[in-house]
Amino acid sequence: MKGVSGFTLVELVTVIVVLGILSAVAAARFIDLSQEARDARIGAQAQALISNDTLNNMACKVEADDCVAFGQTGFSTCQIALNTFLPEVAVDFEATTYSSATPPAQWQNLPGPGEALFWVTRTLDVPYPQKVPCVLAYK
């Protein structure tokens, strides 16, 4: 059989095994990236809430019309802030309010895996602006 060209069975099996290994490694890495993307998204949304809170606090100080005055206490404060500042994000996330008496040094311990920290500044019914810690999580 001179002039017959092609691949042997061993060569084909070797290529299939190598492709299988590469696809398994790529799939595992892709799954890891998906979780990293979720974590990055929730972190970015928490940072956006912090920025909005800062802007809102300044608007309240100068008594601007677009000030959203947070005076209420209770465990709905953070969810109200989420619904007000980022209504399009509130569909995917929920916010948990923690006690404003929690020392700020302990705030970083509040969020669990896949969650992010933000805060809401109360400007009404308190003698000075008071920050309320919140945790943002996927629904």
Side-chain angles (χ1 to χ4, degrees):
M1 289 201 179
K2 289 189 179 184
V4 176
S5 63
F7 297 105
T8 65
L9 183 59
V10 173
E11 291 172 331
L12 291 174
V13 168
T14 302
V15 169
I16 291 171
V17 167
V18 168
L19 288 175
I21 291 170
L22 287 174
S23 65
V25 170
R29 182 66 184 141
F30 178 73
I31 291 170
D32 288 346
L33 287 177
S34 298
Q35 186 58 46
E36 288 176 16
R38 285 177 58 88
D39 292 347
R41 179 178 182 220
I42 200 166
Q45 299 305 333
Q47 288 300 319
L49 286 163
I50 291 169
S51 295
N52 280 324
D53 178 69
T54 302
L55 292 171
N56 184 62
N57 190 21
M58 293 301 116
C60 292
K61 281 185 178 182
V62 298
E63 299 177 3
D65 292 336
D66 56 350
C67 164
V68 179
F70 289 100
Q72 65 270 23
T73 59
F75 292 103
S76 63
T77 303
C78 295
Q79 189 65 45
I80 291 169
L82 174 62
N83 294 341
T84 303
F85 293 148
L86 300 174
E88 67 283 353
V89 172
V91 174
D92 298 328
F93 295 100
E94 60 188 3
T96 304
T97 305
Y98 287 86
S99 171
S100 57
T102 305
Q106 296 177 2
W107 287 8
Q108 292 300 325
N109 299 330
L110 295 175
E115 298 177 338
L117 175 71
F118 73 100
W119 54 81
V120 176
T121 304
R122 291 181 57 215
T123 54
L124 294 177
D125 305 327
V126 290
Y128 54 89
Q130 179 185 66
K131 294 193 182 300
V132 178
C134 308
V135 170
L136 187 65
Y138 283 97
K139 285 186 178 178

